[in-house]
Amino acid sequence: MRVVKFGGSSLASGKQLEKVFQIVMSDPERKVVVVSAPGKRFADDEKVTDLLIECAEQCLVHNIPIEKVDLIMERYSSIANELSLPNEIIREIQTDLLNRLEKDKSKPDRFMDLLKASGEDNNAKLVAAYFQQQGVEAHYIDPKEAGLLVSNEPGNAQVLPESYERLFSLKDRSGILIFPGFFGYSKEGEVVTFSRSGSDITGSILANALRVDLYENFTDVDAVYSVNPTIVNKPKEIRELTYREMRELSYAGFTVLHDEALVPAFHAGIPVHIKNTNNPSAQGTRIVFERDNTNGPVIGIASDQGFCSIYVSKYLMNREVGFGRKLLSIFEDFGLSYEHTPSGIDDLSVILRENQFDLEMEDEIIHRIETELHPDVVKIEHGLALIMVVGEGMRRNVGTMARAAKALAKAKVNIEMINQGSSEVSMMFGVKEIEEKRAVQALYEEFFVTAKV
Amino acid sequence: MRVVKFGGSSLASGKQLEKVFQIVMSDPERKVVVVSAPGKRFADDEKVTDLLIECAEQCLVHNIPIEKVDLIMERYSSIANELSLPNEIIREIQTDLLNRLEKDKSKPDRFMDLLKASGEDNNAKLVAAYFQQQGVEAHYIDPKEAGLLVSNEPGNAQVLPESYERLFSLKDRSGILIFPGFFGYSKEGEVVTFSRSGSDITGSILANALRVDLYENFTDVDAVYSVNPTIVNKPKEIRELTYREMRELSYAGFTVLHDEALVPAFHAGIPVHIKNTNNPSAQGTRIVFERDNTNGPVIGIASDQGFCSIYVSKYLMNREVGFGRKLLSIFEDFGLSYEHTPSGIDDLSVILRENQFDLEMEDEIIHRIETELHPDVVKIEHGLALIMVVGEGMRRNVGTMARAAKALAKAKVNIEMINQGSSEVSMMFGVKEIEEKRAVQALYEEFFVTAKV
């Protein structure tokens, strides 16, 4: 038995739904289908989820924005028309949407979650209707009935452990089960969504709960690439990588799969197969517990911009028990999460994402560090990029760092920071944002392009 | 005006005192002389400070150990005899020592400090007597009268800021001032010592207080070496290095100067000159605020053993605001100071000195991490060595890391950890203890031995 999840672009049009149907029917193991809301049909198109967010925002300020509602309904209708589905299903979706728009708006984030979740919920109904029209036994599954319980954190729900046992009973249901992604219900019975792109999480939870053999995640790329294809032209595809490798890569720019989505699959040891709806015969990429190390030491290189470094130095800092803890407490007081804390003898830097704070908060942070820790120097450096060089084969390979550092030196990239040694499967380099592209290209050249004689 | 400090081996015998006298008299700027207790005369000899510690320990448990007292007095007497000093001074020292041994023992750490401090205090009296006998105006200076006030932390005193103003009035005293190192007085008037080898600190405090041009620190080596001479044969001498470089090197095994000793000199921008009592014409090593960068990027390589790494991993760790702070709080609760905290995406390691805890405490720490932070994995790795590659020229040199990593790879050294980027003047490598020597030799070869054509 398999759980098969389809992303938004796989469900954006009637033509895409036909592909989805073919894929599901081609293997009797594909019994549970998790669907996203309709995504983009072309580059400038709008995703239904985005339309729903705009709709909810306007609703909270003014009245129901009729034009937006029409735009949303138009997306469902066009799919239904393409597939010659009966009008009934469109009326059902419209009634549901208008119903939601009339609900209590006193808690904006609850209202927002209710609206956002309708994209997946109604699309699941539409997909089920299409499967039924094709003469297949298929059922829309209501996550509330099925028992997908989540924490009461709007827009950032976490699955509750009891869900797994409840969802297990889906195993006894006959036919193909069409399950809407992206949301669950709180114990109080309210709709709560996962963070954005959370349909991946739903699929992973179901895979875990049903103890399936495989979680197939259909998207619109042939495979996970070893490096960002906008930085390196036609990069090597990755056939197989471990959860840990995928996790480290996804941290810095590899957005194929939602970060949190790996957790339930990982805990149950269920392989995740990334495949392309538009090219289902492509091999795709498998995410597994262990893999044969056939590549070199490195399997992928990821990078991301928008980091900054707050540097604090104080003579004999490491004699002060609690210095680091006090510094980190200040960041915690501001609700900031930080990424790394490289340290020298008398200095400590905190690397964090810049988008978490503005100039005013920056001043407050610096002020608190100065008045509470009496450092010799505090300074902030903006515009850093982090590059992750990832691979299980790295730990046992003595020369990997030498190769990476040499490649960067040859490309005249100044390494602002290195963090290596805690993770066994990655090395992290901090460089200036303007040097990111050159750095990634140099590393790709070193580890993936065969050396010319 | 200069402050000149002499270490224990420079004051171990009458012959050594003659050298000290020659050195002081050869330059009229050398007005303030800070003295240690008599040190070793030969490799197996005992330092007077060690004898005093043993004496105090026995005194706290049993009676006054007459034989130890005789052994201590014998050291002073032999110096006095060699120099034909009058018996008076030896009687004075003996009276003082016996007096101290009769004092209150209800607070053992206070009694210990009182005994330890006598080594320097009495030696200063002896040196003053010798200078006077040579017809020079010289005065023993009592740190209490002079106003060297320190915090009330036995064995780990910190200078109090008001000391600097009080000590400034020493400027008006005529003649050569012989000042005992290693201790000061609490506001309550009790003797409190600095941490071991703290005479260096006394010299630095006086240099700062008196705003002298130079702090000369006489020891028994011709210079600070660029690497540990027990690891590399006849390593290059360092002519000039910055406070920061010295600080980073001293962290990991460079024990020429006490860590804390640089602080007062550094704050007043006073150069420190390391010289050899036994070869005063050798150039020595100057520690300065800024230096010309004439060496390559690296000025020295230091290393130290006895570290361990506690590794904690938890999926999606960096989503938990406060995870790192909570982890560090646990170490703080045990009074442990840590050195570095390298981190991956889902893991964090804490590097600390192993001698801070035993197996029992280790179990408790692991237990608290497990029960309070619910990590996926906690493990401890013992037997790590840290290697510091230090140099001001490093920051602007793109290829330094590549050279270092390549040298280590060539020597088949596995890099367990790299911490680079917070300090601008050092790179840190963690390796297994058994690979330390090979690693340091490889790095020395790369950065100090001219490449053969």
Side-chain angles (χ1 to χ4, degrees), chain A residues 363-396:
Chain A
D363 285 346
E364 284 175 51
I365 295 166
I366 302 288
H367 180 73
R368 279 199 55 189
I369 294 172
E370 277 170 348
T371 51
E372 292 173 28
L373 296 172
H374 311 290
D376 298 332
V377 179
V378 191
K379 63 185 182 196
I380 184 159
E381 193 187 341
H382 291 280
L384 291 177
L386 296 188
I387 300 171
M388 303 290 308
V389 179
V390 177
E392 295 272 355
M394 200 167 280
R395 184 64 161 183
R396 251 144 288 128

Side-chain angles (χ1 to χ4, degrees), chain A residues 140-154:
Chain A
Y140 157 77
I141 302 293
D142 179 354
K144 193 175 197 171
E145 260 175 54
L148 177 43
L149 288 174
V150 297
S151 66
N152 212 336
E153 302 167 80

Side-chain angles (χ1 to χ4, degrees), chain A residues 254-450:
Chain A
F254 274 55
T255 50
V256 177
L257 199 66
H258 191 293
D259 267 6
E260 293 172 43
L262 281 175
V263 184
F266 165 73
H267 282 145
I270 297 164
V272 180
H273 200 166
I274 309 281
K275 295 211 73 177
N276 190 353
T277 302
N278 305 317
N279 185 15
S281 63
Q283 281 184 272
T285 300
R286 285 169 62 91
I287 308 169
V288 295
F289 208 84
E290 258 186 311
R291 67 173 174 89
D292 292 337
N293 187 12
T294 50
N295 309 51
V298 175
I299 195 148
I301 301 164
S303 62
D304 204 5
Q305 301 200 338
F307 295 92
C308 70
S309 159
I310 296 180
Y311 167 90
V312 181
S313 96
K314 184 175 184 178
Y315 205 92
L316 293 180
M317 175 190 285
N318 72 345
R319 292 285 170 89
E320 285 184 48
V321 171
F323 191 95
R325 195 260 314 149
K326 282 178 215 151
L327 179 62
L328 298 184
S329 296
I330 294 175
F331 289 94
E332 197 179 343
D333 288 347
F334 285 97
L336 301 172
S337 64
Y338 59 88
E339 310 293 318
H340 301 282
T341 55
S343 56
I345 306 308
D346 289 328
D347 43 61
L348 188 61
S349 294
V350 180
I351 313 293
L352 60 175
R353 288 190 191 267
E354 295 185 304
N355 63 7
Q356 294 184 94
F357 54 90
D358 55 16
L359 264 177
E360 199 185 329
M361 197 192 279
E362 181 180 318
D363 285 346
E364 284 175 51
I365 295 166
I366 302 288
H367 180 73
R368 279 199 55 189
I369 294 172
E370 277 170 348
T371 51
E372 292 173 28
L373 296 172
H374 311 290
D376 298 332
V377 179
V378 191
K379 63 185 182 196
I380 184 159
E381 193 187 341
H382 291 280
L384 291 177
L386 296 188
I387 300 171
M388 303 290 308
V389 179
V390 177
E392 295 272 355
M394 200 167 280
R395 184 64 161 183
R396 251 144 288 128
N397 200 301
V398 166
T400 313
M401 172 57 72
R403 288 176 64 187
K406 194 182 152 199
L408 292 174
K410 227 174 110 187
K412 303 257 186 286
V413 172
N414 200 6
I415 304 171
E416 303 285 320
M417 178 181 46
I418 296 180
N419 200 328
Q420 189 249 329
S422 188
S423 165
E424 298 182 346
V425 303
S426 71
M427 299 185 295
M428 195 207 70
F429 296 95
V431 302
K432 290 208 166 60
E433 281 178 353
I434 48 161
E435 305 199 320
E436 178 198 6
K437 207 171 162 178
R438 209 163 75 244
V440 171
Q441 286 164 344
L443 291 165
Y444 184 81
E445 182 75 22
E446 174 66 30
F447 290 109
F448 289 93
V449 180
T450 320

